[in-house]
Amino acid sequence: MGRPRSFDEQVAVIRAGDLFAELGYEGASVDDLVRALGIHRGSLYSAFGSKRALYLRVLRGHVEALEDAATDADLTLLLRAAVERAPVDEEAATLVRRGLAALEDGLPPGPGSTLAQLLGDHLIRRATGATPTRETT
Amino acid sequence: MTTVEITGDQLVVTMPGLDPFWALRRRIVVPLAHVRGATPDPGVSRESAGTRAPGTYVPRVITAGTYRKDGELTFWNLRASRQAVVIELTGERFRRLVLGVDDARATAERVERSLTRG
């Protein structure tokens, strides 16, 4: 429909994902998106409709990737969405729940490996740059 | 100030006071099925709106009326003292509306919540 896109939408979605993970939903302005995606403002709106539509598309892609293979994924986007958007955006909340369920399904069996631990480890790694040490039993 | 309301399955944009004098329109009604999304966009006024067709432009103060840019028609009713919200449309004369409102974030969220996307 309409004019052919003069940019690669997949690449744009990936770059938008990096930006939303780094700055959050509110933190990433349209100016930031236009700059990071390297496209015109009009093209951004034409392709995605709105910042929220783009955000939900990014989040859906992230969650689907987690459902395919949950191991070792960067969870920053999911954690940010859980804190920032899930409480105020029903569609985002549904996607976050799906993402958390996928992570839980992907946990290695046995005690000492819980979703809370996985998320906590990621947060600590984000905050300190170090992998938390834990006594293994 | 422009008001944006959801009435049934329609988006109703009203330009009160003297705004219709600048923008040459008092009301724009669009079925919600033709609304693709709404975004608060404080930076939109820093870019050129395009060519007036027809409308009013006072640099940094008022951008109002119909503008053409890259072959697309956009409707503007924005002044410097308001917050800009961009409403993207499909199947309408205007590709998008750029409106100055009281609270762009709240307006955008309200419009977004009224949409059902496939």
Side-chain angles (χ1 to χ4, degrees), chain A residues 36-132:
Chain A
L37 273 55
I39 62 178
H40 291 297
R41 209 179 212 88
S43 306
L44 180 78
Y45 284 121
S46 294
F48 303 108
S50 67
K51 178 169 105 166
R52 177 168 171 266
L54 172 58
Y55 179 81
L56 290 173
R57 185 160 157 184
V58 163
L59 186 58
R60 189 171 299 113
H62 182 52
V63 165
E64 280 166 3
L66 290 177
E67 287 172 338
D68 284 346
T71 47
D72 282 344
D74 185 349
L75 303 178
T76 308
L77 188 73
L78 186 75
L79 287 169
R80 268 198 194 278
V83 173
E84 189 186 9
R85 293 303 293 169
V88 293
D89 185 333
E90 222 172 287
E91 281 182 63
T94 304
L95 289 169
V96 167
R97 275 196 298 274
R98 262 176 65 186
L100 293 176
L103 287 176
E104 196 152 35
D105 287 347
L107 287 173
S113 143
T114 65
L115 180 59
Q117 207 164 73
L118 179 75
L119 298 179
D121 284 356
H122 186 88
L123 274 180
I124 292 167
R125 214 161 39 237
R126 276 285 294 183
T128 64
T131 308

Side-chain angles (χ1 to χ4, degrees), chain B residues 3-93:
Chain B
T3 59
V4 178
E5 287 162 321
I6 315 289
T7 309
D9 56 0
Q10 288 186 319
L11 180 87
V12 181
V13 177
T14 314
M15 271 66 69
L18 269 178
D19 280 15
F21 176 74
W22 308 112
L24 306 169
R25 266 160 199 268
R26 182 168 297 280
R27 235 160 85 94
I28 294 177
V29 180
V30 179
L32 283 178
H34 288 184
V35 178
R36 294 187 59 213
T39 308
D41 189 351
V44 71
S45 58
R46 283 197 298 274
E47 279 182 17
S48 157
T51 320
R52 252 176 302 166
T56 306
Y57 179 67
V58 181
R60 291 186 298 276
V61 182
I62 300 177
T63 311
T66 302
Y67 284 76
R68 183 186 295 277
K69 189 184 184 181
D70 301 330
E72 293 174 339
L73 283 185
T74 51
F75 177 82
W76 287 65
N77 192 33
L78 180 62
R79 32 184 88 215
S81 56
R82 299 294 174 191
Q83 298 182 0
V85 65
V86 176
I87 301 178
E88 184 75 8
L89 308 177
T90 184
E92 293 284 322
R93 171 179 156 77

